[in-house]
Amino acid sequence: MLQDSEVMMTEDCTQSQPSISPVNDPNSNSENSKEIVDLVGGPFAVIESDPGVFTALTKKLGVRNVEVVEMYDIEPWAVDHLHPRGLIFCFRWHKDTHRLADFNDPAAERVWFANQLSDDACASHAILNVLFNCPEIDIGEELRVFKEDTAQMSPVMKGLAISSSPMLRQMHNSLARPADIRGAINAIAINTLEAQRLKAQEDRARKKQDMVPPPPKRARVTKEKTASVKQRREPEEQSEQDESYHFIGYVPAYGKVWELDGLKSGPLEVGELPSSNSSQWATIIDGWMDVVRPALRMKMKKYGGAEGGDNIRFSLLAIIDNVYEKASDDLEFLKRERIAIERQLQPNWESQVDPILHHQAAQAFGSPTSADMVLGRAYAQDFGARRMDRDLEILDLNPEDLLIAWKTCIQNATRARVAVEDEITKANRAHTDHTKRTFDYEPFLQGFVSLLHQEGFPIPTK
C-alpha cells in the first residue's frame, strides 16, 4: 500500500530487515548449525479482504476464540447481535489530511499502535493494532511476547518490528496467492532498478551541469517553477490511474474509540465512550458501536456507496467471538442438562411428552456431530461453574417445572446442533476457497501450453 507523508521515517526504514529463519544446511552435521541467519527477508504480499482469510490469519497467529465476519450494514439491527470487539475497514486509499494537534491526545500513548513500513502489510498491521488493544481476547503466547517486547517502542519501531518478524511475514504470505507473492518480489526488483537508474541519471546530470555555466537567474526560476508544477500534477494523474486499497482498524480502548491507520503518525480519536459503572464487555460493546457509527458513515460516504449502493469501493469486517465455539459449548452444556433433568423426573414421564420432542431429542443428541470428528468439542472457560449452578437449580424444580425445563432443553439443543453444523459447513467452504486461492496453477498452465505447442496445436495470441 501507499505510504503517507504523515509518518516521519527515512527511506531505509521501509526496507525488509534481517531475520532469522531455520534453513537446512547440507554441509553441516550438527543439529544446531541447521539454523543460519537469513539476511534477505522478504516482502509482504497482497491478501484479499475476505473474512475467511482474516479468520485463518488470526488462527495461524495463535489467537483463540475469535473469528472475522463481513458486515453488510452498520445499523443496530445488523450489529448488536454480533457484539464486535473491533472493526477493520478496507477502502480505496488516497491521502487524508489531518492536523498535527489531532494526534496529541495523551490517552493515545497507552494505545498499542504501529506504523506501516512495508508495502502491502496493512492487513496484518490493522488486525494486530486491533487485537493488541483488546485485553479480553486471548492472543496466544507468541503474540503476547511480541506485544510485551514492543510495548515501550515508538510507533515507527513497532512497525519495524512487524516488518522484521519472520513469523508474521510467513503467516501473512501463507494466505496470499502465489502470483501476488511473485508480484511483490518483482516489485522490489523493479523499484531497486528504477532507483539505480534515477541515481545514475542524477549523477550524469550533475556532472553535465558542472561543465556548463549557470543560466541567468530569471530563466532558472521559471524553469524551476514549471518543474514544480509538473511534479505537483504527476501524483494527481497517477492517483487517478492507480488503485491502491488500504486497511485500517477501529477499536474501543481506554475510555475512547480509536481509528488506527498505520499510514498516520498515531491513533486518531473517534469519540469518547459513554460513562458506565459496569466493567462488563457487553456494556462497552453497546456503547462503542454508537460512537463509531457516525465515523463509519462519513468514511462510506467519502469512499463511495452512500448514494443508492452504487460504486462501492470499501468493505467492513468485524472481529467477533467464535460462533462455533459458542454453539459447541451450548450443545455440550445442554447434553448434560438433559441428563440431570431426566434423573429427577418421575417414572413414565415419557408418556407426558409430545413424541415429536422425543424425535428431536434423538436428532440433537443421538449421533455425534461432524464437528466432534473434525474439530472436537469446545468448552468455555466457565463451563464447569455454570454447569454446577444449573444442576443446583434443577434439584429445586418440581415435576411440572422439570417437564417444562426438559422441553426447553430439547428445543435449545436443536438450535445449537444446527448452528454447529452450519459452522462446520462454513469452515469447509472457507478451507476449499483457501486451497484454491493458494494453489499455484502457473506450472500446470506452462506445461499445458508447452505440450500444445509441441503437438502442433495452434495457440491463440489473444
Side-chain angles (χ1 to χ4, degrees):
M1 298 298 169
L2 299 176
Q3 303 295 320
D4 197 322
S5 59
E6 296 179 39
V7 181
M8 306 301 296
M9 62 192 77
T10 63
E11 183 177 354
D12 293 338
C13 291
T14 61
Q15 305 299 324
S16 298
Q17 300 299 314
S19 59
I20 299 177
S21 60
V23 180
N24 292 330
D25 186 1
N27 299 324
S28 175
N29 296 325
S30 173
E31 185 175 334
N32 295 331
S33 62
K34 291 183 179 180
E35 293 186 0
I36 63 176
V37 178
D38 178 13
L39 298 178
V40 178
F44 283 78
V46 177
I47 63 175
E48 298 181 15
S49 176
D50 181 81
V53 172
F54 277 80
T55 299
L57 179 59
T58 59
K59 293 185 182 299
K60 286 178 176 289
L61 293 174
V63 184
R64 300 184 180 92
N65 303 335
V66 298
E67 68 173 295
V68 181
V69 298
E70 189 164 8
M71 296 177 59
Y72 300 99
D73 206 316
I74 60 174
E75 297 304 323
W77 62 267
V79 177
D80 289 348
H81 68 284
L82 296 175
H83 301 294
R85 297 178 178 269
L87 302 176
I88 298 176
F89 187 71
C90 175
F91 61 97
R92 182 185 177 187
W93 187 90
H94 59 79
K95 187 175 180 180
D96 201 1
T97 58
H98 288 281
R99 300 174 300 174
L100 293 178
D102 296 337
F103 302 97
N104 292 335
D105 191 340
E109 298 178 358
R110 303 170 61 188
V111 178
W112 198 99
F113 174 78
N115 287 134
Q116 178 187 336
L117 304 184
S118 297
D119 291 345
D120 300 323
C122 54
S124 291
H125 275 267
I127 200 165
L128 290 177
N129 280 336
V130 172
L131 292 175
F132 285 168
N133 290 290
C134 296
E136 300 291 331
I137 295 179
D138 184 1
I139 58 177
E141 186 61 26
E142 286 186 302
L143 289 186
R144 187 178 297 107
V145 172
F146 182 87
K147 178 183 177 182
E148 293 173 355
D149 291 343
T150 58
Q152 303 302 322
M153 295 182 181
S154 66
V156 174
M157 293 306 298
K158 289 176 182 175
L160 187 61
I162 293 177
S163 301
S164 304
S165 172
M167 183 268 294
L168 295 177
R169 182 171 57 247
Q170 179 183 0
M171 299 305 176
H172 178 103
N173 289 341
S174 66
L175 300 170
R177 297 183 303 172
D180 291 330
I181 297 177
R182 289 191 290 267
I185 298 175
N186 186 52
I188 290 181
I190 293 176
N191 292 337
T192 302
L193 294 175
E194 181 66 15
Q196 293 177 349
R197 187 187 66 82
L198 292 177
K199 184 178 180 180
Q201 184 177 356
E202 291 176 358
D203 292 341
R204 289 194 299 269
R206 190 179 298 109
K207 292 179 180 179
K208 184 177 180 180
Q209 186 176 4
D210 293 340
M211 299 174 60
V212 178
K217 184 176 181 180
R218 181 175 300 177
R220 178 171 58 84
V221 172
T222 303
K223 185 176 181 180
E224 289 180 355
K225 286 185 178 181
T226 304
S228 64
V229 172
K230 183 178 180 181
Q231 291 173 358
R232 288 197 301 268
R233 289 177 180 173
E234 286 179 352
E236 296 177 0
E237 295 174 357
Q238 293 176 359
S239 63
E240 293 178 359
Q241 297 176 357
D242 301 335
E243 289 190 1
S244 296
Y245 287 85
H246 183 53
F247 294 91
I248 63 176
Y250 291 92
V251 66
Y254 306 106
K256 297 182 179 181
V257 179
W258 303 93
E259 177 187 307
L260 306 177
D261 186 348
L263 298 183
K264 292 185 170 62
S265 59
L268 183 64
E269 179 187 343
V270 176
E272 293 188 2
L273 292 171
S275 58
S276 175
N277 297 328
S278 174
S279 60
Q280 296 295 325
W281 180 257
T283 304
I284 299 176
I285 287 295
D286 294 338
W288 94 275
M289 286 306 303
D290 294 335
V291 175
V292 77
R293 192 171 287 114
L296 289 175
R297 288 197 182 101
M298 292 179 60
K299 287 281 187 182
M300 292 177 179
K301 183 178 181 180
K302 183 175 183 179
Y303 297 106
E307 301 295 336
D310 298 331
N311 194 28
I312 295 179
R313 295 179 177 269
F314 61 85
S315 65
L316 183 63
L317 305 177
I319 301 175
I320 64 173
D321 293 335
N322 191 286
V323 178
Y324 164 73
E325 295 181 3
K326 173 70 167 55
S328 178
D329 176 78
D330 290 343
L331 184 58
E332 296 301 321
F333 187 89
L334 293 169
K335 286 180 181 180
R336 289 155 179 78
E337 180 172 332
R338 177 202 180 191
I339 296 173
I341 293 174
E342 291 180 353
R343 286 174 180 171
Q344 303 299 320
L345 287 170
Q346 297 178 351
N348 300 325
W349 63 270
E350 294 91 344
S351 60
Q352 304 177 30
V353 178
D354 189 345
I356 297 178
L357 288 178
H358 284 293
H359 179 71
Q360 291 181 355
Q363 293 292 327
F365 301 117
S367 60
T369 63
S370 57
D372 297 338
M373 298 176 286
V374 178
L375 300 178
R377 299 181 178 91
Y379 304 91
Q381 295 181 351
D382 59 345
F383 182 89
R386 290 187 294 114
R387 185 64 263 152
M388 184 178 296
D389 293 339
R390 181 55 180 165
D391 289 341
L392 294 175
E393 294 175 0
I394 292 174
L395 292 176
D396 295 333
L397 296 178
N398 56 48
E400 294 181 358
D401 292 337
L402 284 171
L403 283 176
I404 296 175
W406 188 88
K407 296 176 183 178
T408 304
C409 175
I410 299 305
Q411 293 170 353
N412 292 338
T414 302
R415 287 192 289 267
R417 175 74 179 242
V418 172
V420 168
E421 296 293 349
D422 287 344
E423 288 303 309
I424 292 298
T425 302
K426 184 175 72 173
N428 290 334
R429 184 166 56 248
H431 177 71
T432 301
D433 293 340
H434 169 71
T435 303
K436 294 178 179 179
R437 182 187 303 111
T438 57
F439 185 80
D440 192 358
Y441 295 92
E442 185 171 326
F444 162 74
L445 294 176
Q446 289 179 346
F448 181 70
V449 173
S450 299
L451 288 176
L452 289 178
H453 180 72
Q454 293 174 7
E455 296 297 329
F457 287 95
I459 300 176
T461 58
K462 293 185 180 179

